[in-house]
Amino acid sequence: MDFDCNLKHIKESIVLAKEAGAVIRLGPELEITGYGCEDHFLELDTVSHAWECLKEILLSDLTDGILCSIGMPVIKGSERYNCQVFCFNRKIVMIRPKIFLANDGNYRELRWFTTWKQKDQLEEFLVPPEISEALSQKSVPFGYGYIQFLDTAVAAEICEELFTPIPPHTELALNGVEVFLNASGSHHQLRKLDIRLRAFIGATHTRGGVYMYSNHQGCDGGRLYYDGCCCVVVNGEVVAQGSQFSLKDVEVVVAQADLDAVASLRGSISSFQEQASCKTRVSSVAVPYKICQSFDLKILLSSPQKIMYHSPEEEIAFGPGCWLWDYLRRSGASGFLLPLSGGADSSSVAAIVGCMCQLVVKEIANGDEQVKADAIRIGNYTDGQFPTDSKEFAKRIFYTVYMGSENSSEATKMRAKVLAEEIGSWHLDVCIDGVVSSLLSLFQTLTGKRPRYKVDGGSNIENLGLQNIQARIRMVLAFMLASLLPWVHNKKGFYLVLGSSNVDEALRGYLTKYDCSAADINPIGSISKQDLRIFLRWAANHLGYSSLAEIEAAPPTAELEPIRSNYTQLDEVDMGMTYEELSVYGRLRKISRCGPVTMFKNLCYKWGARLTPSEVAEKVKHFFKYYSINRHKMTVLTPSYHAESYSPEDNRFDLRQFLYNARWPFQFRKIDELVEKLDGDRVAFKESGDLKNSDGMGVVAAASSDPKYGL
């Protein structure tokens, strides 16, 4: 919704493209408005502002001699479409509406847009009057089709369309289209980039063609980080690739391609020739211009290059780090405050903020004036000074607070202190025992009773209540410090409170509602404990925070109960399951769409070598019991960076009720019946050696054979 900023970036990208000699410029999906406007797309203002921005582009000389594909919402009749608007020589050549919308996971495009269904012909679209008068253009072709220049054909394939069972590029290639333009709004997800790149490569590997891909990069105002990686693929080979994570506002990736190579490949594939000879005709718009250049040794063709992939550890460092920087500079805040416990989760968040500071200093050193200006403003630099050292910059924008109690250990206190020194944060050490004692005295005055911990003879209710008091006091203290510490240090603005609960704890509900996990934003809220531990080991070596190795090696503990010689509180003991098991449950529940019964069946295969069916059943029941009891906590979960496909985040991604019958009587009864049957089958198998198949299970084999005998 930041039209001025978006328009500025679009103009800058076109200028850079033209300076590089490009004849086609492709921007990301819905780039004028921003992809993540959500229900703002339902407002007429959003559409009219987009037209006003497009008019400003077309009234200038920006589109002279270059085909520009610009994304924006368009209303035709009474329907709203997600469109790519093709502009050339100050005119709109064609408007291409999206024919397949993204409508799963984080995407809700059908809530705001309609799919274009008339694929057989182009229709006339009347340009809005105020735009029409300015451009002297009353109408423009609208619909599914391609642009036919004198020397090549160009077409759009918008984001989700590439990933459909029969993508448009299939028939477009048969109609002679050589250049495909994919404007996208794809968000970062751990270990996902290769899926995207394989799709681009596959689109042109057997059909030939130049495939251009453009994506947003950065925080668009929500939980998603759009991870860029613009690229150009020619005949199945990547010849240009942009960065996946960057602080830059504009990045232009340029490639030079030989279209004769496309024609040559297609002419060599007999099946392509056969299918092209009986193709379904796709409508086109003729543009009487040449956009290709003749053979010229001064123009160097782009060569195939090795694809750049980040490791998952690097993705955790750079993705949330860039997301935090975008959020910080756009929110008007002066920095971050983090309750730092010395444990793995809060230390991971601290390391990510430290990585962000390193990225900022590095980008400034590389000459990025926008990053420099933002850093000067946020860090309150004066007299021409700017960040040159990440630790010094962290001291200006990052508070860490260790909020210890009588239940905290000296080890976690020292780990938090050492890590804060390595990162450079302004570190505070606070004891909350006095506040806890005051609240308990108040409770005793009101009720005449004083709760005790379980190790001291108290009940489970008392034990849980005492832990919750500590956790919630930390949340209140964190927000108080975030709002008042800038005032104490004569700084402007406020600090954003960072949360540090991970995806597995959220799934199980192993967190106190409104505790210090309740924050403004959380950069690790959809990252698993296992991935965070891998990240900590990596960060200890690659970010220069060596204390993270010791933090990773320590057993996870909340430190909310008293430490005794015969008792130490441990997370996995409290939860009744390991973090590794939680990751398995989470992936089966969300990614594989398993209810209790199907999860039980899957885990019988997965864990059957070491667990009996009854043991698997108990684990599944235990998980679903606590998942459903605690599901209500997801309704107030701190907005978190989306990085994992099994996130239980309730507001946008994982839409389920938060009031359950936690006994799951029907489902658990079905599991008990299966256990009884399986136990009987095991006995029968031991006696007869005959394996009995369960319902719904089959054996599939793929084999090659001697042609003499057949398969």
Side-chain angles (χ1 to χ4, degrees):
M1 295 297 290
D2 191 348
F3 291 93
D4 284 339
C5 187
N6 295 346
L7 180 58
K8 174 176 173 282
H9 294 161
I10 293 168
K11 289 180 176 180
E12 183 181 343
S13 71
I14 296 174
V15 170
L16 291 173
K18 293 178 75 172
E19 288 176 352
V23 292
I24 299 175
R25 177 268 179 198
L26 169 67
E29 187 175 10
L30 295 167
E31 61 179 319
I32 292 182
T33 58
Y35 182 82
C37 296
E38 299 186 327
D39 280 2
H40 285 296
F41 284 126
L42 303 178
E43 301 166 4
L44 294 179
D45 279 0
T46 304
V47 180
S48 63
H49 295 338
W51 276 111
E52 290 161 0
C53 292
L54 184 68
K55 179 179 74 172
E56 188 169 330
I57 293 170
L58 288 169
L59 288 178
S60 70
D61 62 356
L62 286 170
T63 61
D64 290 355
I66 184 169
L67 177 68
C68 293
S69 179
I70 299 173
M72 60 178 277
V74 174
I75 294 176
K76 184 179 188 298
S78 58
E79 306 96 44
R80 185 184 300 99
Y81 295 99
N82 175 350
C83 296
Q84 285 301 117
V85 180
F86 288 101
C87 305
F88 185 70
N89 286 347
R90 310 191 192 195
K91 297 291 183 183
I92 301 173
V93 176
M94 172 185 171
I95 299 177
R96 163 64 154 86
K98 197 170 182 179
I99 58 176
F100 300 113
L101 296 174
N103 207 58
D104 53 15
N106 283 297
Y107 298 104
R108 296 286 181 275
E109 289 185 17
L110 276 171
R111 181 181 174 97
W112 311 298
F113 300 110
T114 301
T115 57
W116 180 255
K117 301 175 180 67
Q118 288 74 40
K119 291 181 60 179
D120 56 337
Q121 63 181 0
L122 292 168
E123 296 186 3
E124 182 184 37
F125 174 81
L126 296 178
V127 179
E130 62 277 13
I131 311 299
S132 172
E133 293 172 9
L135 302 179
S136 299
Q137 183 177 11
K138 292 183 179 180
S139 64
V140 60
F142 186 101
Y144 172 69
Y146 61 93
I147 300 173
Q148 182 66 63
F149 287 94
L150 294 177
D151 47 8
T152 190
V154 180
E157 181 170 68
I158 308 172
C159 197
E160 175 72 10
E161 295 173 354
L162 169 63
F163 302 97
T164 56
I166 306 176
H169 69 254
T170 303
E171 65 176 354
L172 289 168
L174 297 175
N175 276 267
V177 173
E178 295 178 314
V179 183
F180 304 94
L181 312 183
N182 190 314
S184 182
S186 296
H187 65 273
H188 172 236
Q189 193 166 289
L190 288 173
R191 305 173 179 91
K192 175 189 174 184
L193 181 61
D194 65 312
I195 298 174
R196 202 185 302 164
L197 284 169
R198 284 203 305 267
F200 308 147
I201 292 168
T204 60
H205 180 71
T206 57
R207 303 175 187 89
V210 176
Y211 206 96
M212 299 171 61
Y213 169 78
S214 178
N215 189 20
H216 295 276
Q217 190 172 63
C219 171
D220 195 23
R223 293 164 172 81
L224 305 182
Y225 178 83
Y226 297 89
D227 60 341
C229 201
C230 299
C231 61
V232 180
V233 179
V234 179
N235 288 353
E237 295 184 299
V238 176
V239 298
Q241 180 184 0
S243 65
Q244 187 176 11
F245 308 108
S246 171
L247 303 185
K248 295 177 181 177
D249 282 334
V250 177
E251 182 179 48
V252 176
V253 176
V254 181
Q256 294 81 33
D258 179 8
L259 295 185
D260 284 348
V262 175
S264 176
L265 176 62
R266 290 177 175 178
S268 69
I269 302 173
S270 176
S271 58
F272 184 93
Q273 298 286 302
E274 288 296 316
Q275 291 186 359
S277 68
C278 57
K279 60 184 174 289
T280 300
R281 297 282 179 182
V282 176
S283 301
S284 64
V285 176
V287 178
Y289 287 91
K290 291 184 178 180
I291 61 171
C292 297
Q293 298 184 30
S294 302
F295 175 70
D296 187 347
L297 288 177
K298 294 179 182 178
I299 302 175
L300 297 178
L301 294 178
S302 300
S303 302
Q305 63 182 52
K306 184 178 179 181
I307 300 173
M308 169 62 186
Y309 290 115
H310 287 285
S311 67
E313 301 93 315
E314 291 173 327
E315 291 184 76
I316 292 172
F318 301 143
C322 292
W323 182 75
L324 284 177
W325 176 247
D326 271 352
Y327 202 103
L328 177 62
R329 69 191 183 114
R330 294 176 58 192
S331 67
S334 303
F336 297 118
L337 183 138
L338 170 68
L340 182 59
S341 69
D345 294 335
S346 61
S347 297
S348 295
V349 174
I352 289 169
V353 176
C355 177
M356 181 201 79
C357 293
Q358 293 181 18
L359 290 172
V360 169
V361 170
K362 181 180 178 181
E363 203 60 45
I364 292 173
N366 290 337
D368 193 310
E369 292 299 323
Q370 184 60 58
V371 174
K372 182 178 178 180
D374 289 332
I376 290 172
R377 173 179 56 83
I378 295 167
N380 199 27
Y381 288 90
T382 57
D383 301 326
Q385 294 181 318
F386 57 87
T388 57
D389 178 77
S390 63
K391 292 181 70 173
E392 186 275 333
F393 185 52
K395 180 73 74 174
R396 288 174 175 262
I397 68 158
F398 188 31
Y399 283 117
T400 50
V401 189
Y402 181 82
M403 294 186 258
S405 72
E406 62 182 358
N407 302 322
S408 304
S409 66
E410 191 65 27
T412 55
K413 179 179 177 179
M414 285 306 299
R415 288 179 198 135
K417 182 175 183 293
V418 172
L419 178 59
E421 290 173 351
E422 290 176 341
I423 293 170
S425 67
W426 191 294
H427 188 64
L428 300 173
D429 185 352
V430 181
C431 180
I432 64 171
D433 286 338
V435 185
V436 173
S437 179
S438 297
L439 284 172
L440 291 177
S441 296
L442 174 62
F443 181 82
Q444 189 172 9
T445 301
L446 290 171
T447 65
K449 291 187 175 184
R450 193 176 185 93
R452 295 176 297 169
Y453 289 102
K454 193 172 183 179
V455 294
D456 296 328
S459 64
N460 285 330
I461 293 176
E462 295 171 75
N463 195 59
L464 188 59
L466 287 169
Q467 293 182 70
N468 288 343
I469 290 170
Q470 297 168 73
R472 289 180 174 131
I473 284 171
R474 287 173 172 142
M475 184 270 287
V476 174
L477 183 59
F479 276 97
M480 183 184 77
L481 292 172
S483 62
L484 292 177
L485 279 177
W487 166 71
V488 170
H489 291 111
N490 296 315
K491 295 181 178 180
K492 297 178 181 179
F494 60 96
Y495 275 44
L496 292 164
V497 178
L498 297 178
S500 58
S501 59
N502 62 62
V503 68
D504 297 323
E505 290 170 344
L507 179 67
R508 163 62 170 75
Y510 185 64
L511 54 98
T512 299
K513 201 174 187 179
Y514 307 116
D515 68 350
C516 61
S517 67
D520 290 309
I521 51 175
N522 180 358
I524 66 165
S526 70
I527 302 176
S528 72
K529 190 78 164 187
Q530 289 177 293
D531 280 339
L532 288 174
R533 297 187 73 166
I534 296 170
F535 163 71
L536 288 173
R537 292 195 292 269
W538 175 87
N541 295 320
H542 293 82
L543 296 181
Y545 310 142
S546 58
S547 64
L548 292 175
E550 181 184 345
I551 292 170
E552 187 278 327
T557 173
E559 290 196 333
L560 293 171
E561 295 183 71
I563 300 172
R564 298 286 188 265
S565 59
N566 62 343
Y567 178 76
T568 300
Q569 185 181 23
L570 296 173
D571 287 359
E572 293 184 333
V573 175
D574 276 359
M575 293 190 298
M577 60 191 76
T578 66
Y579 281 108
E580 183 180 358
E581 288 172 340
L582 261 175
S583 286
V584 173
Y585 298 145
R587 287 183 166 86
L588 287 173
R589 182 197 71 99
K590 179 65 178 177
I591 302 173
S592 300
R593 298 165 294 280
C594 291
V597 176
T598 307
M599 184 181 291
F600 166 75
K601 291 178 179 179
N602 275 271
L603 290 178
C604 280
Y605 283 107
K606 188 177 182 68
W607 294 343
R610 59 184 179 87
L611 296 175
T612 65
S614 59
E615 289 171 331
V616 173
E618 286 307 308
K619 285 182 174 292
V620 171
K621 290 177 182 179
H622 185 72
F623 164 70
F624 272 100
K625 173 185 175 182
Y626 284 97
Y627 155 75
S628 53
I629 286 173
N630 291 305
R631 178 68 191 183
H632 65 95
K633 296 177 182 178
M634 298 304 96
T635 63
V636 295
L637 196 67
T638 297
S640 303
Y641 178 98
H642 180 87
E644 186 58 80
S645 55
Y646 72 91
S647 169
E649 185 269 307
D650 180 73
N651 295 282
R652 294 288 189 279
F653 184 67
D654 188 44
L655 307 180
R656 302 168 194 248
Q657 75 267 34
F658 51 87
L659 177 61
Y660 284 88
N661 182 343
R663 295 184 299 275
W664 298 79
F666 188 91
Q667 294 92 331
F668 286 2
R669 188 166 66 249
K670 289 294 181 183
I671 291 176
D672 290 339
E673 291 171 2
L674 285 169
V675 169
E676 185 178 353
K677 182 177 185 300
L678 288 169
D679 284 342
D681 287 348
R682 285 160 66 89
V683 172
F685 174 70
K686 287 180 180 178
E687 293 176 352
S688 67
D690 182 29
L691 179 62
K692 297 182 179 180
N693 287 331
S694 299
D695 291 342
M697 302 301 169
V699 180
V700 179
S704 58
S705 67
D706 186 332
K708 180 178 177 181
Y709 298 106
L711 178 61

